[in-house]
């Protein structure tokens, strides 16, 4: 297991591949082997950029290069609770806060990072070609379909999505565990796991967040969408990005 130098670190999550996460006091260390350094450095740069905008999130405390050729990114802990840990009674207010913070994120300008649709689809093509799609990320219905057929559905719908593209600064993985809330005020206290942050269609975030609210909270996403400012979202783009996302992890 890769570990940061020094004593007092406790493993809190063992990621896939050669990535591991540790905590010591109010900081976290995310460590990777040589093959993951470029990706981890890209996440570090995104954390630093978001912190410079004033939106809530972690800050980079240190960047450590390991003798193995790997690296550790040390960040501050974000206060509060992740969205998937909130009590049911808190969820409607939390949805309104979540809509507000994504609206603020999407209104940012001068972002140096991009996630063009062409590159995301290319990633999906690579994952499908390697037969690396994780079935745990698919719905029961999609598990009955070959990943190549799901990808073909994405490719067929691509011209429509590109014709109505609305590029904004997206989180890229705006699921409930990556959004922290103050348990008392239910205001958002931070956005984490920013490895996919970049300019992309706003529906990248809207699609993932709304399906998370439905699946994890059994909630009507109406309060979230109203707070965000799109009470009647485009169902074709919601479906497109919900289908594309699970094909890009692997």
């Amino acid at each position: 297991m890769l570990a940061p130098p020094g004593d007092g670190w406790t493993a809190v999550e063992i990621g896939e591949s050669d990535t591991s996460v540790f905590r010591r006091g109010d900081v976290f260390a995310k460590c990777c082997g040589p093959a993951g350094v470029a990706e981890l450095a890209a996440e570090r740069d995104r954390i630093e950029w978001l912190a410079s905008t004033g939106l809530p999130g972690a800050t980079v405390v240190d960047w450590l290069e390991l003798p193995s050729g790997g690296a550790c990114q040390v960040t501050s802990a974000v206060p509060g609770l992740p969205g998937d840990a909130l009590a049911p009674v808190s969820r409607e207010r939390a949805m309104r806060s979540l809509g507000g913070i994504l609206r603020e994120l999407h209104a940012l300008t001068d972002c140096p990072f991009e996630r063009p649709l062409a590159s995301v689809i290319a990633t999906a093509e690579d994952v499908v070609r390697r037969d690396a799609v994780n079935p745990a990320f698919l719905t029961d219905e999609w598990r009955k379909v070959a990943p190549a057929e799901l990808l073909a559905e994405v490719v067929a719908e691509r011209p429509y999505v590109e014709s109505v593209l609305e590029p904004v600064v997206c989180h890229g993985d705006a699921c409930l565990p990556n959004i922290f809330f103050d348990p008392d005020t239910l205001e958002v206290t931070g956005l984490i796991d920013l490895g996919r942050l970049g300019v992309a269609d706003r529906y990248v975030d809207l699609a993932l967040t709304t399906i998370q609210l439905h699946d994890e909270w059994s909630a009507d996403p109406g309060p979230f969408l109203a707070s965000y400012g799109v009470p009647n979202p485009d169902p074709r783009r919601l479906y497109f990005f919900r289908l594309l996302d699970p094909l890009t992890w692997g």
Side-chain angles (χ1 to χ4, degrees):
M1 179 191 303
L2 290 167
D7 299 325
W9 293 100
T10 301
V12 294
E13 174 187 332
I14 305 302
E16 297 180 5
S17 184
D18 57 357
T19 300
S20 48
V21 179
F22 298 81
R23 182 167 189 166
R24 183 171 68 186
D26 60 355
V27 296
F28 285 91
K30 185 175 185 179
C31 303
C32 69
V37 171
E39 184 175 343
L40 189 60
E43 181 181 4
R44 174 202 63 198
D45 294 345
R46 285 161 170 78
I47 294 171
E48 291 179 332
W49 180 81
L50 186 68
S52 75
T53 70
L55 261 65
T59 57
V60 176
V61 176
D62 204 354
W63 175 264
L64 307 171
E65 296 185 357
L66 303 178
S68 64
C72 284
Q73 169 185 276
V74 183
T75 57
S76 61
V78 172
L81 295 175
D84 59 336
L86 291 179
V89 69
S90 304
R91 291 173 180 173
E92 183 167 344
R93 287 173 59 198
M95 278 195 280
R96 297 187 186 281
S97 296
L98 178 52
I101 201 69
L102 283 188
R103 185 179 66 248
E104 291 183 53
L105 175 66
H106 291 179
L108 294 176
T109 58
D110 301 320
C111 177
F113 312 108
E114 295 187 355
R115 286 192 76 222
L117 183 58
S119 69
V120 178
I121 291 178
T123 297
E125 289 171 338
D126 176 65
V127 172
V128 171
R129 182 170 55 251
R130 291 186 287 105
D131 195 25
V133 174
N134 187 340
F137 296 161
L138 300 174
T139 66
D140 291 342
E141 180 181 349
W142 290 340
R143 290 190 196 104
K144 300 174 184 177
V145 181
E149 293 181 39
L150 298 177
L151 179 61
E153 192 174 347
V154 167
V155 171
E157 191 71 351
R158 176 180 175 178
Y160 167 73
V161 172
E162 290 183 325
S163 74
V164 292
L165 210 63
E166 297 179 88
V168 299
V169 180
C170 285
H171 181 287
D173 190 17
C175 57
L176 291 171
N178 293 338
I179 317 292
F180 275 62
F181 297 82
D182 182 305
D184 297 319
T185 67
L186 297 174
E187 293 299 313
V188 173
T189 57
L191 308 175
I192 68 167
D193 283 358
L194 303 179
R196 294 190 168 200
L197 182 144
V199 176
D201 189 283
R202 70 175 70 248
Y203 277 79
V204 169
D205 285 347
L206 295 181
L208 187 55
T209 302
T210 52
I211 199 63
Q212 277 267 302
L213 294 174
H214 178 273
D215 290 350
E216 301 300 324
W217 285 1
S218 299
D220 177 350
F224 160 74
L225 291 167
S227 177
Y228 177 80
V230 182
N232 298 298
D234 179 351
R236 288 177 68 177
R237 274 188 284 173
L238 287 177
Y239 181 83
F240 176 88
F241 285 107
R242 287 171 184 167
L243 179 57
L244 175 58
D245 182 76
L247 302 180
T248 63
W249 300 94

